[in-house]
Amino acid sequence: MRIILLGPPGAGKGTQARRLMERCGAPQIATGDLFREHIKNGTPLGKQVEQTLKDGHLVPDEVTISMMADRLSQPDCKDGFILDGFPRSVAQAKALDAMLEEKGIKLDAVVQIGVDDEQLVARISGRFSCGACNEGYHDVTKKPAKSNCCDNCGAEDQFKRRDDDKPETVRERLNVYYENTAPILPHYESKGLLKTVNGMAEMDDVTEEIQVVLGKKLCPGTPKAPKIAG
Ligand code: AMP
């Protein structure tokens, strides 16, 4: 399965990509995570992009494209991938087309996670995650059972918040999305690849809707058990 998850910051791309990875087997390739890893490790690339991430701006296309060309050549991407956060500009979308064409492979689908902007800022400003397993939480909508302990992996005192999740940076990241990233939607629509799901629904329902639009052939993973009334 070769797909792109598209949507503004806070739409749930990361969460849904991780779930699809578990259900459908393809690796999640998240440019934001790759940059943050470089920053954490103090690599030259990390030093180059650190301030850009803090400001909520886009890393220059040539830097991002080169990092992704390298990542997509790794053996784990041979049979599929779930792109999360790439492409984010028309130039990146065109570069991705060229990379895939050179490898003789095609995208299966581009899934746009549609959201309500007003709710996004509240959603992003309250989020935090486990530094050990990456499980996502939220101050209001998804608190861990014990305030300092991850429900998923049991790690203690490992919760972290992203530097760029402050409300003013979130607004800037939303502006950047509409200016640079939204214009790539027609590119994929004209290729007949674009599918849209409702990202404001419950997390489980969003995953289910994505699996439905992808179809069983692409993502045969276990769908959620039907809800039982009462
Ligand atoms: P994310 O984790 O996807 O929200 O990305 C965090 C930050 O990493 C973004 O605000 C950008 O500064 C940078 N970034 C991630 N993906 C890209 C991309 N495809 N092009 C340029 N910058 C990116």
Side-chain angles (χ1 to χ4, degrees):
M1 172 173 84
R2 297 183 180 95
I3 65 163
I4 297 173
L5 292 185
L6 269 182
K13 299 186 295 293
T15 303
Q16 297 302 336
R18 279 191 294 283
R19 288 173 165 218
L20 290 176
M21 176 166 74
E22 283 162 17
R23 294 181 188 200
C24 317
Q28 170 199 16
I29 313 293
T31 32
D33 289 348
L34 294 173
F35 286 133
R36 281 185 289 277
E37 194 63 24
H38 276 280
I39 293 170
K40 196 171 107 195
N41 294 332
T43 68
L45 174 60
K47 290 189 177 120
Q48 186 185 351
V49 303
E50 188 165 9
Q51 192 57 47
T52 309
L53 265 78
K54 273 204 181 117
D55 294 339
H57 295 150
L58 288 186
V59 171
D61 283 334
E62 61 277 16
V63 175
T64 308
I65 290 166
S66 143
M67 179 179 76
M68 281 304 280
D70 186 52
R71 183 64 189 87
L72 289 174
S73 316
Q74 306 293 317
D76 64 328
C77 293
K78 204 168 86 20
D79 296 324
F81 47 72
I82 300 161
L83 298 187
D84 157 13
F86 181 88
R88 254 173 156 109
S89 68
V90 173
Q92 291 180 17
K94 289 189 173 157
L96 178 64
D97 285 350
M99 278 181 228
L100 299 183
E101 199 177 324
E102 203 185 299
K103 293 180 199 294
I105 53 182
K106 280 188 173 18
L107 282 173
D108 293 308
V110 177
V111 180
Q112 180 192 18
I113 306 183
V115 284
D116 171 341
D117 285 4
E118 291 306 311
Q119 288 185 39
L120 272 185
V121 178
R123 198 197 247 193
I124 302 183
S125 333
R127 71 184 182 180
F128 58 99
S129 64
C130 171
C133 71
N134 251 339
E135 180 74 4
Y137 293 94
H138 193 277
D139 291 330
V140 179
T141 56
K142 193 187 166 200
K143 294 182 186 173
K146 259 178 75 188
S147 65
N148 70 332
C149 180
C150 176
D151 295 345
N152 186 47
C153 74
E156 291 192 357
D157 300 320
Q158 297 289 325
F159 291 135
K160 57 180 179 130
R161 287 175 196 263
R162 282 173 47 172
D163 272 355
D164 58 354
D165 278 350
K166 297 184 193 86
E168 62 278 17
T169 315
V170 171
R171 283 183 221 284
E172 179 56 24
R173 287 163 61 208
L174 272 174
N175 290 341
V176 166
Y177 174 80
Y178 286 108
E179 205 167 298
N180 298 279
T181 309
I184 68 182
L185 294 170
H187 177 77
Y188 291 118
E189 190 156 32
S190 69
K191 290 172 183 271
L193 290 171
L194 192 65
K195 326 251 178 217
T196 301
V197 298
N198 172 19
M200 298 319 290
E202 289 293 318
M203 232 186 273
D204 287 349
D205 294 336
V206 181
T207 312
E208 210 172 342
E209 198 186 343
I210 296 177
Q211 282 190 259
V212 169
V213 299
L214 292 178
K216 281 236 171 295
K217 222 171 106 200
L218 280 182
C219 188
T222 336
K224 206 180 58 155
K227 280 188 191 136
I228 298 164

